Amino acid sequence: MIVFKDIAEIKDTEPCAVALGTFDGVHLGHQKLIGAAVERAKELGIKAGVFTFSNHPRDLLPNAKPVKNILYSREKEEILAGLGVDYLFDVPFTREIMEMDPERYVSDLLVGRCSARVLACGTDHRFGYKAKGDPALLRELGEKLGFEALIVDKLEIEGNEVSSSLIRTLIASGRVDRCKTYMGRNYEIAGDVVVGNRLGRRLGFPTSNLVIDPEMVTPPNGVYATLCNWNGKSYKSVTNVGVKPTVGENVKNVETHIFDFDKELYGKRIVVEFLMKMRDEVKFDSVEELSEQIVRDCREARAFHDGLEGRSR
């Protein structure tokens, strides 16, 4: 997959079918839309593309609250490549683009520069100055400019419209066990392992620590049953998200204990998949009480993992 990070980089592209959207979670709804573009590209014998923005468009609105990311750009690119995308146009949403007339946005940028022969979007997609562009206009422009407009219906699962806002709500409320239903994969946090206060090691439960990225949506403080992925393998684990109040207020981080694992991971990149919230973070009266609770947490997390294995057999 070829990735374009700036409009100026987009050149010499072959004709392509392009899916349009923010794709900030690449959830199952997004995958349905992208899949439609990929399938149409195969039928026409052209490339498949995704046109999106590296920052959320709402972030440019006056007094707008920043939109938290669901995916890191690295993971987003890996998922899109796996869906069969040939071109990823992942460009910054700028004031120039925000103020671009809808017709010029399509003719100059998508058709002219990106070589789009098919433009696929959802029923609620909006584009151009003051979001004046919509699917009806896209169809009109397709007839005028000679491209095919492919409008894809929203995906509903269990009576809920699949959306990034729904997934953000699930994560922020700790209902991480529900994310896979709408994302097609578990919610995860990734990063390089950093040195913590080593309290877990002193208590007999060594942990791998990740710093919380303030731009990412994160689950509430608490203890979670998780999987830790490193070096191509997945390990059963239990994870604390929070500030470790028993030993003094700290910066919120992710602290994962990997079961039956004795390798040093400092400086290594790991991915932590969140499966279920077990309890809220609690301030204990002593480190001894904390240690006893960790034993119970580990026992509960192991039982949870064993139950998953039992159901999969």
Side-chain angles (χ1 to χ4, degrees):
M1 182 176 73
I2 300 174
V3 181
F4 300 94
K5 291 289 189 180
D6 190 88
I7 290 177
E9 296 177 0
I10 304 172
K11 58 183 66 174
D12 302 323
T13 52
E14 297 181 40
C16 54
V18 180
L20 306 174
T22 55
F23 304 120
D24 45 352
V26 197
H27 51 60
L28 291 177
H30 291 152
Q31 291 177 39
K32 177 184 177 182
L33 172 57
I34 294 167
V38 170
E39 185 62 30
R40 190 65 182 128
K42 290 179 181 177
E43 293 170 353
L44 297 174
I46 59 179
K47 299 291 186 180
V50 163
F51 187 93
T52 189
F53 299 112
S54 54
N55 55 317
H56 202 287
R58 286 211 301 268
D59 290 346
L60 258 67
L61 298 177
N63 304 315
K65 184 178 180 180
V67 178
K68 297 283 188 177
N69 296 323
I70 298 172
L71 272 177
Y72 300 90
S73 59
R74 174 171 167 174
E75 279 70 33
K76 182 176 181 178
E77 290 176 14
E78 290 174 356
I79 293 169
L80 291 175
L83 293 175
V85 175
D86 300 301
Y87 294 144
L88 171 57
F89 306 103
D90 189 24
V91 302
F93 185 76
T94 61
R95 187 159 297 279
E96 180 184 1
I97 291 177
M98 183 173 69
E99 295 176 351
M100 192 176 289
D101 174 82
E103 182 168 346
R104 190 165 71 86
Y105 174 81
V106 173
S107 63
D108 294 4
L109 185 53
L110 300 178
V111 176
R113 188 172 282 273
C114 297
S115 305
R117 298 297 177 265
V118 178
L119 289 174
C121 71
T123 54
D124 62 349
H125 185 67
R126 297 294 183 270
F127 58 92
Y129 183 58
K130 292 187 177 180
K132 292 178 180 178
D134 61 10
L137 178 59
L138 196 67
R139 286 196 181 97
E140 290 180 20
L141 294 175
E143 295 177 0
K144 178 180 178 180
L145 300 173
F147 66 85
E148 177 185 343
L150 183 60
I151 313 304
V152 180
D153 290 333
K154 286 279 191 178
L155 177 65
E156 285 195 6
I157 297 177
E158 298 179 350
N160 294 313
E161 186 179 284
V162 181
S163 67
S164 296
S165 59
L166 170 62
I167 293 166
R168 286 189 184 90
T169 298
L170 292 174
I171 296 169
S173 62
R175 292 183 291 167
V176 294
D177 55 304
R178 299 289 297 148
C179 289
K180 191 171 185 178
T181 300
Y182 304 103
M183 296 175 69
R185 61 187 184 281
N186 294 315
Y187 163 70
E188 61 189 35
I189 291 177
D192 296 334
V193 176
V194 299
V195 178
N197 60 12
R198 299 183 182 272
L199 176 62
R201 186 176 298 276
R202 293 198 299 273
L203 296 177
F205 302 94
T207 59
S208 298
N209 295 270
L210 300 178
V211 176
I212 293 286
D213 185 338
E215 295 185 353
M216 304 296 292
V217 60
T218 55
N221 295 357
V223 177
Y224 298 80
T226 55
L227 291 171
C228 183
N229 302 301
W230 173 70
N231 201 27
K233 291 188 65 176
S234 183
Y235 301 89
K236 301 172 186 176
S237 57
V238 60
T239 297
N240 183 80
V241 176
V243 297
K244 299 187 283 289
T246 303
V247 293
E249 289 293 318
N250 296 273
V251 175
K252 183 175 180 177
N253 77 340
V254 174
E255 191 174 19
T256 297
H257 172 64
I258 306 171
F259 298 131
D260 309 315
F261 187 86
D262 60 1
K263 294 181 176 61
E264 182 59 75
L265 293 180
Y266 290 128
K268 303 292 195 306
R269 182 178 178 81
I270 64 172
V271 178
V272 180
E273 296 182 47
F274 286 74
L275 307 181
M276 180 193 72
K277 185 179 181 184
M278 294 163 46
R279 65 172 177 86
D280 292 335
E281 186 175 50
V282 176
K283 181 176 181 179
F284 295 95
D285 293 332
S286 67
V287 173
E288 288 72 24
E289 286 187 17
L290 171 61
S291 180
E292 291 169 0
Q293 182 60 53
I294 292 174
V295 172
R296 291 191 290 269
D297 291 338
C298 288
R299 187 183 302 124
E300 182 180 345
R302 282 184 181 274
F304 174 82
H305 284 295
D306 291 343
L308 287 181
E309 286 186 346
R311 289 193 293 272
S312 65
R313 285 198 289 267

